[in-house]
Amino acid sequence: MTAMAPHVSLVLNWILFLALFPITFFWLRRAWRIIFKRDFSEVALKRGEPPPNPARFAPYCAAINLVGGVVLVWTIFGVLTASFAFETWTSLAGITIWSKLMLDFALSRHAHPLKLGRKRADAQPERSGK
């Protein structure tokens, strides 16, 4: 008898499924921190910097993380109970992950508007030359 060798697609599907657990945990933890602990330190970050008024964008960030986390919990539950077909749970997981990433990106760019025009002279750091 020949042993069944794992195929690349099977391994990648297992990686996707197992990755849903930590992704869900971090998204729901972030929503918990924003909603209940009022911690806005991770709201709409751009290059690691929060926006000038993170409380303004906190409800949107909390909603994005909460909805994404709940959909992934539902997806995990559907896989474990064999309620979802393969195509269903992989498409749910993929669409949720990509949508959350794009919405977070859009929110961070909206929270940090572009500053057009010339830089003011008093805003530039002074150089210690002579």
Side-chain angles (χ1 to χ4, degrees):
M1 289 184 109
T2 20
M4 186 174 158
H7 296 281
V8 173
S9 62
L10 178 67
V11 173
L12 289 176
N13 292 329
W14 268 102
I15 290 172
L16 172 63
F17 177 67
L18 293 176
L20 294 179
F21 289 92
I23 291 171
T24 304
F25 171 76
F26 284 111
W27 289 358
L28 291 177
R29 185 181 68 170
R30 182 176 285 177
W32 175 268
R33 286 180 176 175
I34 294 170
I35 295 169
F36 295 108
K37 293 192 174 195
R38 313 297 292 166
D39 179 11
F40 304 142
S41 62
E42 295 181 355
V43 171
L45 297 177
K46 181 178 179 184
R47 296 183 183 166
E49 295 292 324
N53 185 8
R56 178 179 171 203
F57 302 99
Y60 305 108
C61 188
I64 291 169
N65 284 286
L66 185 63
V67 169
V70 168
V71 170
L72 288 186
V73 166
W74 182 49
T75 304
I76 291 170
F77 182 75
V79 171
L80 293 177
T81 61
S83 301
F84 291 152
F86 169 76
E87 292 82 11
T88 305
W89 78 263
T90 54
S91 63
L92 269 172
I95 289 171
T96 304
I97 291 169
W98 279 108
S99 297
K100 197 262 185 201
L101 291 174
M102 287 188 281
L103 289 171
D104 268 348
F105 179 79
L107 182 66
S108 70
R109 293 317 180 254
H110 182 70
H112 297 271
L114 289 174
K115 296 175 184 163
L116 299 175
R118 299 179 68 179
K119 292 185 180 180
R120 295 182 355 179
D122 60 338
Q124 294 179 352
E126 300 213 9
R127 295 184 183 183
S128 58
K130 295 181 182 177

